[in-house]
């Protein structure tokens, strides 16, 4: 799952930045604040491919859900699936 990969990479980048800034001597409330800003900038610059993959995955998922809503306009996809299963089992008996 590309979204999970991208999230884990960003968390790892934040942890590495936090550790590096701690070793440099930054302490207190400023340490996580600067680490977040630096990790955000680094992730924007370095994680282009995983970010694009996550974006494509989210877009595909959104398209699939929109297609399901077009077939079942009231959002009754689960109910329709359950009804089909019940009908199938009743016909089998």
């Amino acid at each position: 799952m590309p979204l999970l990969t991208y999230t884990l990479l960003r968390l790892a980048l934040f942890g590495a930045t936090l550790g590096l800034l701690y070793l440099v001597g930054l302490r207190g409330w400023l340490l996580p604040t600067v680490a977040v800003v630096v990790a955000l900038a680094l992730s924007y610059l370095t994680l282009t491919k995983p970010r694009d993959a996550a974006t494509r995955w989210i877009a595909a998922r959104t398209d699939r859900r929109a297609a399901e809503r077009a077939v079942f306009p009231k959002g009754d996809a689960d109910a329709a699936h359950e009804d089909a299963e019940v009908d199938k089992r009743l016909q089998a008996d």
Side-chain angles (χ1 to χ4, degrees), residues 32-46:
T33 305
V34 172
V36 164
V37 172
V38 171
L40 176 69
L42 287 175
S43 71
Y44 182 75
L45 294 173
T46 61

Side-chain angles (χ1 to χ4, degrees), residues 46-64:
T46 61
L47 299 178
T48 304
K49 288 183 183 180
R51 182 177 59 245
D52 290 345
T55 302
R56 283 191 303 274
W57 182 81
I58 290 171
R61 186 173 178 198
T62 303
D63 290 344
R64 278 194 311 269

